[in-house]
Amino acid sequence: MNKLTQPVPHDEELLGPELSDADVDAWIDRNRDALKVALQEAREQIARGEVSELDMEDIIARGRARFEASKKRV
């Protein structure tokens, strides 16, 4: 069985403390225009049929392919 050589960090150790509702609201306010643009682009892509539906197997297969490709770059 594989044993960890280092303890697994908690999310807070990696990402910092969880944002308060006020922090999230402030972030949304700062990025409102960019979020609107991104949502509009997504809606246009959907309207043009440029999206594909993925099931869990597709997502796992893509993840495995990306992982294999990343191993080859090292």
Side-chain angles (χ1 to χ4, degrees):
M1 180 160 108
N2 293 335
K3 292 186 179 180
L4 297 174
T5 57
Q6 297 178 351
V8 176
H10 298 286
D11 288 345
E12 195 166 295
E13 292 175 25
L14 289 174
L15 306 173
E18 186 174 345
L19 296 176
S20 68
D21 289 343
D23 290 334
V24 172
D25 290 342
W27 183 90
I28 290 171
D29 287 341
R30 287 192 309 272
N31 295 285
R32 187 171 306 279
D33 292 337
L35 291 168
K36 285 181 181 180
V37 170
L39 286 171
Q40 184 59 38
E41 288 175 3
R43 288 181 181 120
E44 290 169 2
Q45 287 177 337
I46 291 169
R48 291 190 302 263
E50 295 177 358
V51 295
S52 62
E53 293 185 26
L54 298 175
D55 60 16
M56 189 57 68
E57 288 77 24
D58 293 333
I59 294 168
I60 291 169
R62 286 183 181 194
R64 285 185 176 144
R66 289 177 65 182
F67 177 69
E68 290 302 320
S70 72
K71 290 193 318 188
K72 293 176 183 175
R73 285 182 264 164
V74 174

